[in-house]
Amino acid sequence: EKYLHTPSCPTNTNSHAQFLNLILIITMSQAATSQRVSEAVIDNAAEAFRLVHPEKYLQKFVDQDVRPDGRPLHGFRNTVINVGEISTADGSALVRLGQTTALCGIKAELANPPQDKPSQGWLVPNVTLPTLCNPDIRRGPPPLEAQVLSQFVHEVLAGAVSLESLCLAPAQLSWVLYVDVYVLNHAGNLTDACALAAVAALHHLRLPKMSEITGDGSLPTIETARAVPLQLKTLPVAVSYGQFNDTLLTDPTVEEEALLNATVTVVEDALNTEQGGQKSLLKVVQPSPASTAVALGGNTLSVSHLQQCCAQAITRAAHVKVLLDATDT
């Protein structure tokens, strides 16, 4: 009798139930641990495959009409626009495209107009890629990508801002707008992020109200600080695409950009998206293989792909306008 009832096998009903519950808990814990180990092994194997064969890894997703981050092929990452992020700037904006983050601050100063264009003001954009934004960015002179982005932002803004409106007194006094874009995190598609940050900052910009110019030769004076919004001729929105083999990818990530064989950026005027077509199309940029932008994707897209990009860019520009208008409230 005493050998039938050992401490490992309780005799009363309550103890027996507790014992069975304990066994069940231990079994479930071991199963969960085994499942976690299996999931970890699968995740490690997938990550190893991505690192060793990045092109095959992406192709397996594309074959299923999906991206590694879960987006459809023509889907955009979540876009967030916040204005007024820099209290010391006359206009500022923080833009997030997924994990890509760009901050733009605009400082307005008074200076003499250009000698060859005495009735215009100045627009001086610059894009900075600090080393903290991406491990591939090294210390030293500005990388080629930063120079290409600065030139692109300048071309986009030049069509949006009337330089004549920045002149206060011909050949005497004009505004200088320093548009500085800082990339805080480079996770792909800096073209769209930097351009949108600059446009959003211009949209938020408020210039001091100046006194009227009199005929006695005296210069205007500041009446009210940060009172006058800048009137934009257009509201440019850049929309970038990449071609992976024969497939178009919208808003590519930094991992996808390394595998693209062609890129294109369509710039639409968000103020005229209702008309669409040529009325809203401002610019189409395809890096030439012979240009210095070849590192950003030097081949060209087919006509059918370009038409597809332009059509989708109109919808994207209209959506961005809604986001910009929301910042006014």
Side-chain angles (χ1 to χ4, degrees):
E1 182 73 19
K2 66 179 180 179
Y3 296 108
L4 296 177
H5 307 293
T6 61
S8 61
C9 184
T11 57
N12 60 73
T13 304
N14 292 336
S15 299
H16 186 67
Q18 294 176 358
F19 177 76
L20 291 179
N21 288 336
L22 179 61
I23 295 298
L24 179 61
I25 292 174
I26 294 175
T27 303
M28 292 177 62
S29 175
Q30 290 176 342
T33 301
S34 177
Q35 181 179 2
R36 287 195 296 268
V37 171
S38 300
E39 291 176 351
V41 171
I42 293 175
D43 291 341
N44 291 336
E47 179 64 14
F49 182 70
R50 183 185 70 83
L51 294 175
V52 176
H53 303 288
E55 186 172 354
K56 293 181 179 179
Y57 178 83
L58 179 58
Q59 186 64 57
K60 286 184 176 294
F61 283 92
V62 171
D63 291 341
Q64 303 298 320
D65 294 331
V66 72
R67 313 269 281 277
D69 58 7
R71 286 183 292 157
L73 300 181
H74 304 303
F76 293 90
R77 290 173 291 177
N78 185 44
T79 303
V80 178
I81 303 175
N82 295 322
V83 298
E85 295 293 314
I86 306 176
S87 59
T88 55
D90 297 298
S92 62
L94 179 70
V95 168
R96 293 187 180 92
L97 296 182
Q99 296 299 319
T100 298
T101 308
L103 176 67
C104 180
I106 300 178
K107 196 66 177 177
E109 296 182 359
L110 295 172
N112 294 326
Q115 293 184 356
D116 57 337
K117 299 177 181 178
S119 60
Q120 295 184 2
W122 301 83
L123 185 65
V124 187
N126 183 65
V127 176
T128 301
L129 296 178
T131 56
L132 60 84
C133 75
N134 189 282
D136 294 333
I137 304 298
R138 306 299 182 186
R139 294 186 179 276
L144 172 62
E145 190 173 5
Q147 301 175 40
V148 173
L149 287 169
S150 296
Q151 180 62 32
F152 176 78
V153 172
H154 182 272
E155 293 175 357
V156 169
L157 299 185
V161 178
S162 172
L163 296 181
E164 285 76 12
S165 66
L166 300 179
C167 183
L168 301 175
Q172 299 182 65
L173 192 65
S174 67
W175 286 113
V176 182
L177 301 183
Y178 294 99
V179 184
D180 293 311
V181 181
Y182 294 88
V183 177
L184 303 182
N185 189 35
H186 179 5
N189 197 7
L190 289 183
T191 303
D192 293 7
C194 292
L196 182 54
V199 171
L202 283 175
H203 185 74
H204 173 254
L205 176 65
R206 296 296 184 270
L207 294 173
K209 183 179 180 181
M210 309 297 292
S211 62
E212 295 184 2
I213 301 176
T214 60
D216 58 3
S218 60
L219 296 177
T221 58
I222 296 177
E223 293 184 348
T224 307
R226 299 187 184 181
V228 182
L230 184 65
Q231 298 299 320
L232 300 179
K233 298 186 299 181
T234 62
L235 194 63
V237 176
V239 188
S240 294
Y241 304 85
Q243 181 175 281
F244 174 69
N245 295 332
D246 293 327
T247 303
L248 271 181
L249 300 179
T250 302
D251 182 23
T253 64
V254 67
E255 291 84 5
E256 293 169 343
E257 286 179 339
L259 304 174
L260 300 177
N261 50 284
T263 62
V264 65
T265 298
V266 180
V267 183
E268 294 280 347
D269 180 10
L271 298 179
N272 292 305
T273 52
E274 294 182 358
Q275 285 76 20
Q278 295 183 353
K279 290 183 177 295
S280 63
L281 181 61
L282 298 176
K283 181 186 292 289
V284 176
V285 180
Q286 286 196 94
S288 168
S291 71
T292 56
V294 67
L296 302 181
N299 296 325
T300 58
L301 274 71
S302 65
V303 175
S304 60
H305 276 169
L306 283 176
Q307 292 175 341
Q308 182 180 350
C309 293
C310 292
Q312 188 186 28
I314 296 175
T315 304
R316 171 62 174 175
H319 173 68
V320 170
K321 185 179 184 300
V322 173
L323 297 179
L324 289 173
D325 290 341
T327 63
D328 294 333
T329 59

